[in-house]
Amino acid sequence: QEGRLDPAQLVDATGNVPADVLLNSFRVLKPTGDITNYVNLWQNLWNDDFVAAHQTMTQWSRDHIPFPGAAFVQTGELFARDNVMATGRVPLGGRVVDLADITVPFVNVIGEKDHIVPPAATAALVDLVGSEEAEELRFPAGHVGLMVGRTAQRSYIPQMAEWLERHSVPLAGGRRA
């Protein structure tokens, strides 16, 4: 919102948003997340698979790198402040990209528990694109859980891959593009 934090203020002298700023911004989104994670770990210390998964996810979630400042500022202004995605018209590279011009098969993958990109923020995309084959895949997962973890490997990723397979164009030799 206007009057709140200016994304440009987070850019340091190197032209990047420091990794610790990114990590802490995710913590602000879920203030009790660390406590919940530790409680879940405590309750599952007997489960070697849970502990291994917890260690992997914890290491991965804390392994941030600096984010390019100009991209951060532009993303914040366009998609958060100006909410251009809701209009279906996105300024990009000196021109406006109209989502209605997308006529190839389109899939919108939504994590129903995503607190980074909430479902309400992207659900309208299938109505904004011009494709006759616009679909939505919804999964009971968070932002990271869509792609990481056992459930993602067993269920979500195979469904996404199946969608891609159905909408791929056959190449010579039987492969698909």
Side-chain angles (χ1 to χ4, degrees), residues 118-158:
T122 59
L125 286 176
V126 293
D127 296 326
L128 294 173
V129 298
S131 176
E132 292 180 18
E133 292 185 63
E135 297 178 46
E136 181 179 274
L137 295 178
R138 278 186 179 251
F139 300 107
H143 192 74
V144 174
L146 282 170
M147 300 301 292
V148 177
R150 282 201 187 116
T151 304
Q153 291 175 6
R154 276 193 321 263
S155 181
Y156 313 149
I157 294 171

Side-chain angles (χ1 to χ4, degrees), residues 9-54:
Q9 292 176 329
L10 300 177
V11 178
D12 68 10
T14 69
N16 295 307
V17 177
D20 63 324
V21 170
L22 296 170
L23 176 60
N24 289 326
S25 68
F26 286 115
R27 285 184 170 150
V28 167
L29 291 174
K30 261 187 145 172
T32 59
D34 285 343
I35 294 169
T36 302
N37 286 340
Y38 287 125
V39 168
N40 287 335
L41 176 61
W42 181 257
Q43 290 175 337
N44 290 282
L45 279 175
W46 59 270
N47 182 336
D48 292 339
D49 289 338
F50 183 93
V51 172
H54 179 272

Side-chain angles (χ1 to χ4, degrees), residues 99-174:
L99 298 181
D101 291 340
I102 297 173
T103 57
V104 296
F106 177 86
V107 64
N108 185 19
V109 179
I110 295 177
E112 293 175 341
K113 299 176 185 175
D114 191 337
H115 69 286
I116 307 294
V117 182
T122 59
L125 286 176
V126 293
D127 296 326
L128 294 173
V129 298
S131 176
E132 292 180 18
E133 292 185 63
E135 297 178 46
E136 181 179 274
L137 295 178
R138 278 186 179 251
F139 300 107
H143 192 74
V144 174
L146 282 170
M147 300 301 292
V148 177
R150 282 201 187 116
T151 304
Q153 291 175 6
R154 276 193 321 263
S155 181
Y156 313 149
I157 294 171
Q159 289 181 60
M160 291 181 236
E162 190 275 329
W163 188 94
L164 290 169
E165 179 71 24
R166 274 192 336 230
H167 295 90
S168 295
V169 178
L171 294 174

